[in-house]
Amino acid sequence: MREREICDMATVIDGVRVAAEMRERAAGQVRELVARGVTPCLAVVLVGDDPASASYVNMKERDCAEVGITSLDHRLAADISQHELDALIDRLNADPAVHGILVQMPLPAHLDAESVMERISPEKDVDGFHPASLGRLVRGLPGFRACTPAGVMEMLRAYDIDPTGMRAVIVGRSTIVGKPMALLLLEANATVTVCHSRTKDLPAVCREADLLVAAIGRAGMIDASYVKPGAVVIDVGINRTDDGLVGDVDYVSVEPIASAITPVPGGVGPMTRAMLMVNTVAAAAAVE
Ligand code: GUN
């Protein structure tokens, strides 16, 4: 009964608030850098006119303006050649005024996203997608961490949720979220399981989680039958449906049994963008 009472009041993890605090701290660091003659600069590359990608890029540029980071906007036609995109990345790599390079994913199918991620100089890889950044994460060396999983770790810290000893279950094995999330949680002393579409009896595995991270990209898939009472539930999903933006977690059924939960929107999304600002400031500080 006591557990029910506690669980009836899940802490709603406020990504909007935590992200605003992170941007404020980043803005303070920008002011110090500017005073020393360095204005952090992020080059933002958008290929094509996918409305969702365009909206993410617009929000990232707005965040840059708020924090005091210069953003260089490169909007390219959907049919740009690999050679032209490579040439732009080479120019941005060589430009000492540019500290971070972000190429919004996904790219049109005729472009090779892997080679684009690898072409960006690791020193400017504020997305943390370069094989060198991922390798440094595996080795536990300092380096750029992918913004979404790094944002999740910041959120947990902000709410004093220490993953040490927790059984963490991640649903989704993408290179952008699932895999780096697993490594960051491992580094934070969680016992980590990564699930995916071939996992047998997924609900049962998820129900073992003290910390459940949903990063599948399927609206509302994780309902209460996947969640242990008292678990911390982090929803990385951003799915556009007729009902608007919804996460991978069925919030209405899960919130009453979780101890803490992130909403969508207003959870992980703003944290991802705030981490991009943090990474860009770090990139600028590193070359000062
Ligand atoms: N597409 C979805 N998430 C991301 C991200 O974090 N960075 C980039 N570059 N593209 C994305």
Side-chain angles (χ1 to χ4, degrees):
M1 188 59 207
R2 179 153 166 72
E3 184 166 65
R4 261 316 291 165
E5 280 167 21
I6 292 167
C7 294
D8 274 346
M9 297 175 57
T11 299
V12 179
I13 298 178
D14 185 350
V16 173
R17 177 181 65 78
V18 180
E21 288 164 5
M22 285 168 68
R23 286 196 303 275
E24 211 174 295
R25 279 198 299 278
Q29 290 166 326
V30 169
R31 282 192 290 275
E32 286 172 22
L33 282 167
V34 169
R36 297 204 290 269
V38 178
T39 303
C41 173
L42 175 67
V44 179
V45 180
L46 174 63
V47 182
D49 48 15
D50 173 63
S53 289
S55 136
Y56 292 139
V57 160
N58 290 341
M59 288 192 286
K60 288 169 187 179
E61 290 178 341
R62 214 175 50 211
D63 289 343
C64 283
E66 182 189 320
V67 170
I69 295 170
T70 302
S71 60
L72 294 182
D73 189 43
H74 291 272
R75 308 227 172 185
L76 311 175
D79 62 355
I80 190 173
S81 70
Q82 183 80 41
H83 178 73
E84 287 171 291
L85 181 55
D86 286 350
L88 171 63
I89 292 170
D90 291 348
R91 276 206 309 282
L92 296 171
N93 280 339
D95 185 344
V98 172
H99 302 105
I101 302 171
L102 177 132
V103 178
Q104 184 65 29
M105 301 290 167
L107 289 172
H110 70 282
L111 296 170
D112 180 353
E114 288 297 330
S115 88
V116 167
M117 289 187 253
E118 207 162 331
R119 199 167 193 101
I120 293 170
S121 162
E123 290 75 38
K124 302 189 180 187
D125 177 37
V126 288
D127 253 331
F129 294 167
H130 192 285
S133 301
L134 290 166
R136 294 183 72 83
L137 170 60
V138 174
R139 300 200 62 124
L141 297 170
F144 293 114
R145 308 302 195 219
C147 296
T148 298
V152 170
M153 296 309 290
E154 284 297 323
M155 252 177 163
L156 296 176
R157 254 192 295 280
Y159 280 81
D160 291 325
I161 298 167
D162 179 358
T164 298
M166 279 186 166
R167 178 78 191 269
V169 174
I170 300 158
V171 191
R173 54 174 157 181
S174 71
T175 309
I176 292 183
V177 182
K179 288 181 199 169
M181 187 80 259
L183 290 160
L184 288 171
L185 285 169
L186 188 61
E187 202 168 67
N189 306 309
T191 301
V192 180
T193 301
V194 182
C195 300
H196 46 79
S197 53
R198 308 285 179 88
T199 298
K200 281 189 190 152
D201 201 354
L202 181 62
V205 180
C206 291
R207 277 196 305 272
E208 290 175 18
D210 305 307
L211 172 59
L212 181 61
V213 181
I216 324 133
R218 285 182 56 184
M221 187 182 119
I222 304 295
D223 64 19
S225 71
Y226 290 70
V227 179
K228 175 165 82 176
V232 173
V233 180
I234 305 291
D235 190 352
V236 178
I238 300 180
N239 307 288
R240 278 156 214 276
T241 71
D242 293 341
D243 299 331
L245 274 194
V246 299
D248 292 344
V249 174
D250 177 23
Y251 189 90
V252 172
S253 82
V254 171
E255 187 270 343
I257 61 168
S259 64
I261 187 167
T262 63
V264 177
V268 174
M271 296 298 297
T272 298
R273 281 162 31 218
M275 270 319 300
L276 178 66
M277 302 298 107
V278 169
N279 281 352
T280 303
V281 172
V287 296
E288 201 201 347

